[in-house]
Amino acid sequence: MDRRLWVPTEVNVDAPSAARVYDYLLGGSYNFAADRAFAQQAIAIHPGLPMVCRENRSFLRRAVRFCADNGIRQFLDIGSGLPTSGNVHEVAPEARVVYVDNEPVAVAHSRMMLRGSDRAAIVHADLRDPDTILNAPETRRLLDFDQPVGLLIVAVLHFVLDTELVKSVLARYRERLAPGSVLVLSHGTLEEQAPSARKIQELYNRSPNKVITRTKQECVELMDGFEIVEPGVVFTPLWRPEPLAERPERPQDAGWYGMAGRLL
């Protein structure tokens, strides 16, 4: 594909991007040599990393179906990343979806994919700027905040190092949601992890894509104001698994907690 169609001119392709590294780990093709080199370095340290990403993506799809089964017909997916298989509008085709990302390649590729859609759009914005996201023309056109919304913030919050900022931002989103809305989060942790997981965190923290891990209790605290649904805060393969789906022999090796909470 012509690079000009999906790579904005301001993108530095020589520096790894967390979103494009994640795309590579999921088997995607919208990444560059720097992203692939970083990902391969990470895999050499922690060979299970692609599985971690796949399990997180599977968790997202199950969480979307849970929301849809509970009557939610609109989603705000913040930190959506590069489109891959099982996007929200594919899992819930009758829903209206606003994707949000601050990665220019993710935004450009999403705009290409969603061109002509009247049910899904992408907003170029940062999680930490809720007012821009909530008041974006695309959001105002597609989402009705008087009705329940599925708010998806999956594999994103470990890139926001300030926990108090995370809590204040989540509170701002919560203020706009109607009762019956569902917040879906996943978050990296070092609890029950192999030593190589800490080395992955150190690798990221030597790059522009610095990360923080949080404990199960800290994840519970991020769900303030929401009633956490069963099975609670668990490793992603254990969150409402499909009966016949394969899962890691040690679910904790998936490395991320998954959770969802309903606003009463």
Side-chain angles (χ1 to χ4, degrees):
M1 182 181 293
D2 188 337
R3 180 187 187 277
R4 292 171 296 179
L5 294 177
W6 59 277
V7 184
T9 56
E10 71 272 16
V11 172
N12 178 8
V13 300
D14 296 321
S17 150
R20 300 194 307 263
V21 169
Y22 185 65
D23 173 67
Y24 176 80
L25 291 168
L26 285 171
S29 56
Y30 287 87
N31 48 74
F32 304 110
D35 309 309
R36 295 188 287 272
F38 185 91
Q40 288 295 340
Q41 187 178 0
I43 291 170
I45 295 170
H46 191 63
L49 193 56
M51 175 276 290
V52 170
C53 297
R54 290 193 302 269
E55 288 294 336
N56 184 72
R57 192 72 185 173
S58 180
F59 161 74
L60 170 66
R61 292 192 291 269
R62 297 195 306 275
V64 169
R65 285 195 291 269
F66 168 81
C67 290
D69 290 346
N70 281 273
I72 290 177
R73 298 293 179 264
Q74 50 183 357
F75 292 87
L76 180 58
D77 183 1
I78 302 178
S80 54
L82 281 143
T84 184
S85 60
N87 300 295
V88 177
H89 71 281
E90 296 167 331
V91 179
E94 301 303 315
R96 300 185 306 279
V97 183
V98 174
Y99 296 102
V100 181
D101 210 278
N102 66 354
E103 157 60 56
V105 171
V107 173
H109 183 39
S110 295
R111 283 179 178 154
M112 279 197 318
M113 183 186 71
L114 299 173
R115 187 177 295 131
S117 173
D118 61 355
R119 303 186 71 83
I122 178 80
V123 173
H124 189 185
D126 191 286
L127 161 80
R128 294 164 292 190
D129 188 4
D131 289 336
T132 293
I133 293 171
L134 294 169
N135 296 315
E138 298 87 348
T139 307
R140 296 169 67 89
R141 174 171 62 88
L142 287 170
L143 303 186
D144 176 4
F145 285 97
D146 291 328
Q147 299 298 321
V149 172
L151 175 57
L152 313 173
I153 307 179
V154 174
V156 181
L157 291 179
H158 40 256
F159 292 109
V160 185
L161 307 186
D162 184 337
T163 299
E164 292 308 311
L165 175 61
V166 170
K167 291 179 179 179
S168 66
V169 166
L170 290 176
R172 179 71 184 99
Y173 291 116
R174 186 179 67 237
E175 290 169 2
R176 287 290 300 274
L177 297 177
S181 294
V182 174
L183 171 64
V184 175
L185 302 180
S186 70
H187 200 296
T189 187
L190 289 178
E191 292 185 314
E192 301 186 57
Q193 299 306 297
S196 55
R198 184 176 298 277
K199 293 180 181 178
I200 288 292
Q201 181 179 1
E202 293 168 354
L203 175 66
Y204 271 85
N205 285 343
R206 292 195 297 270
S207 79
N209 307 297
K210 293 181 170 43
V211 296
I212 186 172
T213 54
R214 293 185 170 97
T215 65
K216 183 174 184 177
Q217 180 56 39
E218 287 171 323
C219 289
V220 169
E221 292 170 5
L222 296 181
M223 301 295 291
D224 181 49
F226 294 85
E227 181 182 63
I228 299 175
V229 302
E230 292 295 333
V233 177
V234 295
F235 289 105
T236 50
L238 299 177
W239 197 90
R240 297 177 180 259
E242 295 167 348
L244 301 179
E246 292 185 15
R247 69 178 76 171
E249 184 175 340
R250 284 171 32 94
Q252 59 266 46
D253 288 344
W256 278 331
Y257 287 124
M259 65 214 82
R262 186 180 289 108
L263 187 63
L264 300 180

